[in-house]
Structure formats: structure tokens, C-alpha cells
């Protein structure tokens, strides 16, 4: 029997690409250049499955491909806001994602951003590399203490929980959270977290706010000008979720007006574009969407896509089906 034909839209870790070839007639993207919308659409006519990443917009137009050969979209990523799920369902496509395997890597990076912005790590590095350091002195580059402070989490799903564990156990932080679908009471108790009924109630009491909610239409600009004003003066905002959860221009204004002390951002509204005004700010730590970017995690993500696809083409229910 011939192997299902699969198109992979970007380069994956080499060992996973090799594993894909064992199971599928696979077309890899060795150049690693992003496919435009026409090329993505053509992929849906040419292959039984398309494996996009979170930066490929699999919208209704792409999914209108005729003839449609594909039956599976194996997204390389836990977030799937790049895919029009209604359009996929309407065309009879199954969609899978890659949860769990990137939880720790993403929480590690959120904690890294929190520490870097509080302790002025980016700024200090630039200062030293620029040759501006004249030596130790008691008032030099004083930052903000992290240990023992209050962390507010917007979203207490898998990554939010992993962040809570790091903050509470590692840094003795008090943890507050808002989540419309909170985890079981025992989980919350085990994390030492305290539930608040509204986003606002978390913001007003938190020294650090870290976003871990999905990119749904309801969460678009969840952190808008009004909510940013509602943060505790001198607090910091960390975003490793999705760029459009924060209204970037409003964040820039809040930083400019000194309403909050700083921000650590791994995701942006118009990636890979970043507001030049944010880039110019010393009190903002900026990373190029690296949440899951460890070798171990990226391999595990690829293997998850593979596992789902093998199940699907073997006639079984894929373990991480989202549509
Ligand atoms: C995801 O998986 O959704 C991340 O943003 C990329 O790893």
C-alpha cells in the first residue's frame, strides 16, 4: 500500500524529518522559506495531510482548495489560532495540535522573561557589551526583587500551572489567578494559588502579571489601555501566550506614562514586526517567539504531530484532535 502524502511547511529537527519519511511520502521544506497563501492552498490539493506551523495562516481561502485532497492538518504547535477551525470542519478536515510537550519549556521562558525584566538583565548586558560599565557601585542598575512577590496569572491551564509551580516553589511567590475554566480544587491547592473572580482583581494585587490564556476572539486585546491602567503601579507584564492578547500600542503608552515598570514579551501582534517604540525601551525584554524553542521540545512537538498522523491514517482517533 502506498504511503500517505504529507507536506511539511517549514524545516523541522532533522531526526523528526527522518522519522516522518519512515511513515509517509513526505515533501519537506529544505529551504525553510515560508509558503505564501497560494502555495499553502496548493498543498491542500496535492497531499493527504498538511503539517503547518503556528505562523502559517490556514484560513478559509486556503481551505477552499479545489480539488481538496487533504484530510488532516497536523499543526506543529499547541496554539491553533492560525487555523480557521470552522472552515476546516466544514471541509471535513481533522485538526491536531501538540499540547503537553512544550509546557515546561514555555513556563521556563516566561520565568526567564520575568527575571530578566525585573533584574534588568537585557539592559545590563547591553551596558557591559557597550563598554559603559565603570565598576560596581551601590546604586548601579538597581532592579526589583522577585522572591516573595505576588504573581498574577491570567489563565491556569497547563502552562499557567507550570508557571505557578516555578513561582511558588522556586521563588516563594504568592500566586493569584483568573481562569473562567479553573482546574480542580486539589490542583489549585497543590499550586498554592488563589482564585480571583475577575481579571481586574488579579491585576490590582499583582507585582507581576503573566498571560497564559488562549488566543480566542474574546481574549483579543484582553490587556487593553483600561486593564493596563488597572495594574498595580510599578508592576511588570509578561506575555508568552499570543501577541494579540495585548494591545501593543496601549502597552507602549502605559510604559511611556510610567503606569507599569516593564514588560517581558515573547509574542507580538504582528510577528515578526515589533513596534519600534517598544524596541527603543530599556525596560522591555523582547524575544523572537522562543517559548517552545528547546531542542528537546521541538523534537517532541514533531513526534506529537507524527503520532497523531500515524493514528489518523491507521484509522484510530488521533490523541490530540482539536477538530
Ligand atoms: C505554540 O505551540 O503555540 C507556540 O506558540 C509555538 O511553540
Amino acid at each position: 500500500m502506498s504511503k500517505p502524502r504529507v507536506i511539511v511547511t517549514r524545516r523541522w529537527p532533522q531526526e523528526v524529518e527522518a522519522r516522518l519519511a519512515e511513515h509517509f511520502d513526505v515533501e519537506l521544506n529544505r529551504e525553510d522559506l515560508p509558503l505564501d497563501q497560494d502555495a499553502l492552498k496548493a498543498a491542500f490539493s496535492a497531499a493527504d495531510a498538511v503539517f503547518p506551523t503556528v505562523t502559517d495562516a490556514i484560513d478559509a481561502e486556503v481551505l477552499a482548495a479545489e480539488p481538496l485532497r487533504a484530510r488532516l492538518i497536523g499543526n506543529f504547535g499547541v496554539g491553533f489560532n492560525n487555523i480557521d477551525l470552522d472552515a476546516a470542519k466544514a471541509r471535513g478536515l481533522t485538526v491536531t495540535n501538540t499540547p503537553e510537550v512544550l509546557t515546561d519549556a514555555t513556563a521556563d521562558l516566561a520565568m526567564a522573561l520575568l527575571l530578566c525584566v525585573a533584574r534588568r538583565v537585557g539592559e545590563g548586558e547591553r551596558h557591559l557589551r557597550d563598554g559603559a560599565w565603570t565598576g560596581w557601585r551601590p546604586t548601579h542598575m538597581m532592579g526589583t526583587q522577585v522572591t516573595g512577590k505576588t504573581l498574577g496569572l491570567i489563565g491556569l491551564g497547563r502552562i499557567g500551572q507550570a508557571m505557578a509551580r516555578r513561582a511558588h516553589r522556586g521563588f516563594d511567590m504568592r500566586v493569584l489567578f483568573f481562569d473562567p475554566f479553573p482546574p480542580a480544587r486539589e490542583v489549585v491547592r497543590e499550586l498554592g494559588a488563589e482564585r480571583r473572580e475577575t481579571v481586574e482583581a488579579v491585576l490590582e494585587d499583582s507585582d507581576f502579571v503573566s498571560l497564559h490564556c488562549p488566543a480566542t476572539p474574546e481574549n483579543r486585546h484582553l490587556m487593553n489601555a483600561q486593564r493596563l491602567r488597572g495594574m498595580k503601579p510599578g508592576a511588570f507584564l509578561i506575555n508568552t501566550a499570543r501577541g494579540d492578547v495585548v494591545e501593543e500600542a496601549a502597552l507602549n503608552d502605559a510604559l511611556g506614562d510610567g503606569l507599569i515598570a516593564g514588560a517581558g514579551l515573547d509574542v507580538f501582534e504582528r510577528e515578526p514586526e515589533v513596534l519600534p517604540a517598544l524596541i527603543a525601551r530599556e525596560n522591555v525584554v523582547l524575544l523572537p517567539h522562543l517559548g517552545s524553542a528547546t531542542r528537546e521540545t521541538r523534537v517532541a512537538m514533531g513526534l506529537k504531530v507524527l503520532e497523531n498522523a500515524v493514528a489518523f491514517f491507521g484509522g484510530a482517533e488521533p490523541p490530540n484532535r482539536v477538530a
Side-chain angles (χ1 to χ4, degrees):
M1 212 176 73
S2 64
K3 293 174 179 173
R5 181 159 170 72
V6 161
I7 293 181
V8 183
T9 66
R10 297 302 295 262
R11 204 77 237 240
W12 286 10
Q14 201 272 324
E15 57 266 55
V16 196
E17 290 186 343
R19 290 284 306 279
L20 288 178
E22 291 170 15
H23 296 267
F24 302 111
D25 166 16
V26 62
E27 183 177 319
L28 301 172
N29 182 348
R30 294 195 193 282
E31 304 293 309
D32 204 19
L33 295 172
L35 303 187
D36 64 19
Q37 296 307 95
D38 287 343
L40 286 172
K41 193 169 180 175
F44 280 84
S45 294
D48 300 297
V50 178
F51 295 167
T53 74
V54 297
T55 53
D56 296 313
I58 311 298
D59 56 19
E61 178 50 34
V62 166
L63 292 168
E66 284 298 349
L68 178 68
R69 174 170 168 181
R71 293 191 293 130
L72 174 70
I73 303 175
N75 205 39
F76 187 101
V78 66
F80 45 85
N81 61 317
N82 57 310
I83 301 170
D84 184 331
L85 285 193
D86 291 335
K89 279 190 247 175
R91 299 233 58 199
L93 281 146
T94 295
V95 182
T96 62
N97 72 339
T98 63
E100 285 141 25
V101 291
L102 45 66
T103 300
D104 284 326
T106 308
D108 286 351
L109 196 91
M111 201 67 216
L113 279 172
L114 188 157
L115 290 165
C116 283
V117 71
R119 298 300 306 273
R120 304 174 64 174
V121 169
E123 198 183 341
E125 240 240 336
R126 284 189 292 277
H127 179 76
L128 184 147
R129 285 178 189 271
D130 287 350
W133 187 32
T134 55
W136 191 91
R137 55 197 188 277
T139 56
H140 188 212
M141 269 201 188
M142 295 183 292
T144 300
Q145 186 96 354
V146 171
T147 296
K149 293 286 175 65
T150 298
L151 171 67
L153 298 172
I154 307 300
L156 197 66
R158 278 182 287 255
I159 300 172
Q161 290 175 34
M163 181 68 171
R165 231 168 256 125
R166 281 155 179 73
H168 188 58
R169 298 199 188 145
F171 295 87
D172 207 13
M173 294 177 93
R174 179 181 181 206
V175 177
L176 312 178
F177 77 97
F178 167 79
D179 194 319
F181 307 102
R185 262 178 224 279
E186 313 79 74
V187 175
V188 175
R189 199 173 318 118
E190 181 258 327
L191 294 169
E194 300 165 39
R195 186 176 178 196
R196 292 286 182 271
E197 293 301 325
T198 60
V199 171
E200 285 73 13
V202 170
L203 301 182
E204 69 192 23
D205 282 339
S206 300
D207 303 299
F208 298 89
V209 173
S210 190
L211 305 174
H212 299 284
C213 51
T216 56
E218 303 76 56
N219 288 343
R220 185 178 145 74
H221 290 180
L222 176 124
M223 291 305 293
N224 54 21
Q226 192 183 340
R227 290 234 170 87
L228 287 159
R229 258 197 313 278
M231 285 176 70
K232 196 171 164 178
F236 296 84
L237 180 69
I238 311 300
N239 188 11
T240 53
R242 278 292 182 270
D244 70 354
V245 175
V246 176
E247 191 178 349
E248 227 160 81
L251 171 63
N252 183 54
D253 290 345
L255 289 161
D257 296 343
L259 297 179
I260 64 172
L265 308 174
D266 186 44
V267 286
F268 303 89
E269 269 197 274
R270 281 168 289 275
E271 292 179 18
E273 280 170 42
V274 179
L275 216 60
L278 283 178
I279 293 180
R281 292 196 184 285
E282 285 289 11
N283 56 344
V284 183
V285 178
L286 304 164
L287 292 178
H289 203 147
L290 294 180
S292 63
T294 67
R295 161 147 290 282
E296 296 87 336
T297 297
R298 291 285 164 84
V299 168
M301 289 168 75
L303 292 177
K304 268 248 170 220
V305 180
L306 174 65
E307 181 191 348
N308 279 288
V310 167
F312 177 83
F313 287 108
E317 178 67 9
N320 307 114
R321 182 179 183 149
V322 294

